[in-house]
Amino acid sequence: MRRGTYILNLLVPVFILLSIPSPRVHGQSATIAVSQFITPDARSQGMGRAFTAIAEGPSANWWNPGALGISRSFYFSPWSAARLVPDLADDVWMRTFGLTGHYRGIGLGAHVAYLSYGESPIVDGYGHAVGSFDSWEVVALLGAGIDVIQLMNPEQKNIRWGIGGNLKYFDLDLAPAGAGGVEGPATCSTWDMDLGTLMVLRLPLDVGADGNQSRSSAGTPPSFIGIRGGYMLKNVLDHTLKFPSEDMRYPLMRFDRLGLAFELGFMHMPPLGYLIRWNVLTLDWENVYFDGSYYNRAIDYRGTELTILGIFTVRHGYIDDKEGEVTDDTWGLGFGVDRSTEKFSRIGGRFDYASVPQAEGLDRVSHYTLSFWIGFQ
């Protein structure tokens, strides 16, 4: 093995071995650009990462760009963070920033993830440390989506069908020239695309004597039940990360994710939110394609979320990834406010916390997210 490849594997030890869950396929460590596999947002983490059919909030287009078309609020997350291996390293961490909005029938979203691998030593041929360097990577997404049902029938309120896509850019700076025998700097960049769709069926439970559905001026039903289905395909173009060294070529992994969710909203109470907003059950299934071939990792995600008056939220989930040795519960909490006024259908913010497992024998990881939203009447 060339020392250039060896030093790159040293730079990503926690993700090669620890799996969050790690994208290992047929014994190969497909770990370059791993920031695309670390799910953002403490809310989704607390729900066991079963979020493809929910895909709400500032990280919506990361989860499913099809959700952009059916969102009617502006979301912003200035800060979402996690120390990824707290028991092994203090300087391996991830920060994400997200923004989504809706304008004239088109939903737009931007998401940036910054992953720091921390500081690594430069070692000479005798094994002596002669310096150090920082390594990192960035993945940026720009997405757009439309609501097909609203375009065809603006009066339809119960069904929404969003389709959308992301244009994404990868930028990696893993090692300088000369670090561990690397012939040139271990830097590269590439781009790819995501596609997604999300369908929501929401049935109001409050029907007047005339048979008409009861709704607020903002179109919010006082109570409802719903079902959501989503599908997401990432890295559809199968592009490759190409480092200066000829033997350092890493195809981006392409994978699809299918999600299903059942939801309930009970007693909308302006200016607060629903007395109870419950994502009763959320389910995700993930399949992986590597270097042009299909590979079923058999990863299952499931979760639930209960919010009281838009203020206090509790979450629980479970990740079943036997190959990645991640089979354990997730849980999370949220605290904030979600109000409605004469001018705004929604306005509020929330702080979320989640605790998620890693591979066996490793400490759990804590995720934190601060987010805000606003929706116009």
Side-chain angles (χ1 to χ4, degrees):
M1 182 188 299
R2 294 175 63 95
R3 295 194 70 188
T5 304
Y6 174 73
I7 196 68
L8 272 181
N9 285 338
L10 288 181
L11 290 175
V12 289
V14 293
F15 301 106
I16 293 175
L17 300 176
L18 307 187
S19 174
I20 317 181
S22 71
R24 294 177 294 177
V25 181
H26 295 305
Q28 302 185 52
S29 296
T31 52
I32 304 302
V34 295
S35 56
Q36 66 176 322
F37 302 101
I38 305 173
T39 55
D41 190 347
R43 180 187 177 193
S44 57
Q45 292 276 4
M47 296 174 66
R49 301 177 185 145
F51 212 63
T52 304
I54 303 295
E56 294 176 336
S59 62
N61 62 313
W62 191 98
W63 284 100
N64 189 343
L68 295 173
I70 63 178
S71 174
R72 295 297 182 266
S73 299
F74 291 83
Y75 293 93
F76 174 56
S77 175
W79 180 78
S80 186
R83 284 177 51 204
L84 299 177
V85 281
D87 50 338
L88 298 180
D90 293 330
D91 56 356
V92 178
W93 49 265
M94 186 170 181
R95 303 281 189 274
T96 63
F97 309 88
L99 174 67
T100 65
H102 195 271
Y103 181 71
R104 293 187 177 180
I106 299 177
L108 302 173
H111 190 270
V112 178
Y114 178 88
L115 172 59
S116 170
Y117 292 117
E119 187 177 22
S120 301
I122 297 177
V123 181
D124 63 18
Y126 300 98
H128 301 140
V130 296
S132 63
F133 61 93
D134 294 321
S135 51
W136 49 266
E137 62 181 66
V138 173
V139 179
L141 287 75
L142 182 63
I146 60 172
D147 187 335
V148 177
I149 299 296
Q150 288 296 301
L151 290 176
M152 295 189 301
N153 181 11
E155 301 302 318
Q156 174 60 253
K157 302 297 183 182
N158 296 337
I159 303 176
R160 289 179 290 173
W161 176 27
I163 58 174
N166 289 321
L167 181 65
K168 58 201 304 186
Y169 174 75
F170 301 86
D171 187 24
L172 287 74
D173 188 343
L174 300 183
V182 177
E183 297 176 0
T187 60
C188 71
S189 61
T190 192
W191 66 280
D192 215 301
M193 295 182 65
D194 302 330
L195 297 174
T197 183
L198 178 63
M199 180 168 284
V200 178
L201 172 62
R202 186 172 287 179
L203 300 176
L205 298 178
D206 302 80
V207 180
D210 56 359
N212 293 324
Q213 299 170 354
S214 175
R215 291 180 179 268
S216 69
S217 59
T220 303
S223 299
F224 70 89
I225 57 173
I227 183 171
R228 306 167 70 101
Y231 176 78
M232 171 72 161
L233 181 61
K234 289 197 172 188
N235 300 329
V236 297
L237 301 179
D238 293 327
H239 282 177
T240 299
L241 289 162
K242 300 178 181 180
F243 290 88
S245 178
E246 288 297 327
D247 65 345
M248 295 163 62
R249 298 291 186 264
Y250 297 87
L252 291 174
M253 294 180 66
R254 178 166 59 95
F255 60 93
D256 60 13
R257 195 159 176 152
L258 179 66
L260 184 66
F262 302 91
E263 59 180 350
L264 168 69
F266 181 67
M267 291 184 62
H268 191 258
M269 303 174 65
L272 299 175
Y274 286 96
L275 173 62
I276 293 176
R277 175 76 185 272
W278 187 13
N279 284 307
V280 182
L281 179 64
T282 60
L283 302 167
D284 270 27
W285 301 271
E286 186 174 275
N287 297 313
V288 179
Y289 302 80
F290 182 72
D291 202 15
S293 62
Y294 172 77
Y295 176 68
N296 187 351
R297 292 193 64 207
I299 310 175
D300 298 328
Y301 309 88
R302 51 188 180 268
T304 188
E305 174 188 61
L306 179 66
T307 302
I308 307 298
L309 284 175
I311 298 175
F312 182 71
T313 302
V314 292
R315 305 181 181 98
H316 180 262
Y318 188 80
I319 300 172
D320 187 7
D321 179 13
K322 294 181 175 60
E323 181 180 337
E325 298 179 353
V326 182
T327 54
D328 206 345
D329 295 276
T330 70
W331 61 271
L333 300 171
F335 184 79
V337 61
D338 189 4
R339 301 191 61 184
S340 60
T341 68
E342 292 184 359
K343 185 176 182 180
F344 303 111
S345 59
R346 294 185 67 196
I347 183 169
R350 186 177 60 233
F351 177 77
D352 292 313
Y353 166 80
S355 173
V356 298
Q358 296 192 93
E360 294 180 10
L362 298 170
D363 286 353
R364 296 174 68 88
V365 174
S366 295
H367 290 256
Y368 307 88
T369 299
L370 181 64
S371 57
F372 304 94
W373 55 84
I374 185 171
F376 296 94
Q377 296 279 22

